[in-house]
Amino acid sequence: MKTALITGANKSIGLETARQLLQLGYYVYLGSRDLQNGQQAVEQLQSEGLSTVEPLQLDVTDSASIAAARQALGQKTQVLDVLINNAGILGGMVQPASSTYISLIKEVFETNVFGVIEVTQAFIDLLRAAPEPRIVNVTSGLGSLTLHNDPSWKYYAVKGAAYQPSKAALNAYTIMLAYELRDTPFKINAVDPGYTATDFNHHSGPGSVSDAAARVVKAAVLGPDGPTSQFFSDDNAPETGISPW
């Protein structure tokens, strides 16, 4: 049975991603900053007949929590097939480049960039032990620098000094990691789940959580001939599914 770890998985897209992987026969470690919330999510999945899941306390902004999660997971399995870096924060809806507090920008980067890097580095040894390891970094279409310079883009006016740069940085890290591991079985990709109706955006998005999670899962279960170092976004590029960086 393949194993997967999902950060920020106690609700919304993370929880639905766990559900869909469980339906595919994976054993899922459901990462949650608050263990009680994670346990409640696990109980919800178990009530649906999805039993191969357990919570893992994991705060991606806390080095001690990451280290403890790595130790706890290492006592359960020596192999991790899939890591989905899903945890992320928005940092508020209005982020003017000239006046957004640096403290807010740092807070967003701590979760969206540095948290991803630290979690990935902590679990990379377990991933290396898998025959076909997969890393999915959940990004945003708003992380595309190319499109942010295109006045014809439908989200051209949606600018922000914290969230958008954090996702651009996450995309850059994805490229660097994929390049480092290019001659290995790893597949490492960034996935934009799309503008989805969640608590994250006060349910303003038109997309469904089910469709968003399916995009993440698609990258998590890529076969050996699948691509690596890609920025998948059906929203930015409905024809090809590959967004410009």
Side-chain angles (χ1 to χ4, degrees), residues 111-128:
T111 297
N112 295 359
V113 184
F114 305 134
V116 170
I117 295 172
E118 189 166 3
V119 167
T120 300
Q121 292 180 347
F123 290 90
I124 196 73
D125 60 327
L126 295 181
L127 288 159
R128 288 184 189 276

Side-chain angles (χ1 to χ4, degrees), residues 125-140:
D125 60 327
L126 295 181
L127 288 159
R128 288 184 189 276
E132 297 181 347
R134 304 291 179 258
I135 298 176
V136 181
N137 292 331
V138 179
T139 185
S140 167

